[in-house]
Amino acid sequence: VDLPFGLLPRHTMACTGAPTSDAGADGRGASDEAALADLREFVDRQMAALKASLDSSLNAFDVRLARLERTVAAAGGSSVGDLVRIEGLDNVAHLHLNGKKAKLRSWEGPGGRWLVQVLQTGHMKSLKVENFKSVGGAS
């Protein structure tokens, strides 16, 4: 943090080490006390700004963490590489996939679907969590 020039501490001792004429018993003068008060005020303002920034960052982190937790929950506890058995597809064009094993390749997030690779054919298919069941393990 850059300090404003006027807030830099002023020395009240001459080069010889003797107190200047406006210095008190402790070697500090009235102008130094004012400068010290200004410096303390400046530091307090900077600390308050830093705290506000940190609080904002922590709140944003909490929001992202909650979103990630919801995404993981929506993924059905599955993870990339898990082996699954496709089931529950009722579209005539996809009935042939029921009972086939597949490997989870990636979570598609907002749509609540997994991209799976059918092991028998190598074809990729996007499936809802309710359209597959874990068969255990990853390969």
Side-chain angles (χ1 to χ4, degrees):
V1 174
D2 291 327
L3 296 175
F5 182 78
L7 294 181
L8 294 176
R10 292 184 216 120
H11 298 288
T12 59
M13 305 293 266
C15 292
T16 62
T20 59
S21 59
D22 68 339
D26 63 357
R28 289 191 287 192
S31 61
D32 288 329
E33 292 297 330
L36 187 57
D38 289 346
L39 182 59
R40 285 187 178 128
E41 182 181 327
F42 174 78
V43 169
D44 288 345
R45 281 194 312 269
Q46 292 299 313
M47 291 298 290
L50 184 59
K51 182 184 180 311
S53 176
L54 182 58
D55 287 345
S56 175
S57 294
L58 287 173
N59 288 337
F61 175 76
D62 287 343
V63 167
R64 287 192 304 267
L65 181 59
R67 187 173 32 236
L68 180 60
E69 288 171 340
R70 286 191 304 274
T71 299
V72 168
S78 301
S79 58
V80 172
D82 285 357
L83 294 178
V84 297
R85 184 174 312 280
I86 300 172
E87 59 182 35
L89 298 178
D90 54 9
N91 184 310
V92 175
H94 301 113
L95 286 175
H96 69 283
L97 294 174
N98 286 326
K100 301 265 193 289
K101 285 186 180 180
K103 187 179 217 178
L104 300 180
R105 290 298 181 184
S106 66
W107 171 247
E108 295 183 335
R113 293 173 175 261
W114 277 94
L115 184 63
V116 303
Q117 182 177 21
V118 180
L119 296 181
Q120 193 175 31
T121 63
H123 287 101
M124 304 297 267
K125 177 75 179 142
S126 180
L127 297 175
K128 294 179 184 176
V129 173
E130 59 264 19
N131 291 124
F132 62 80
K133 185 177 217 165
S134 178
V135 293
S139 66

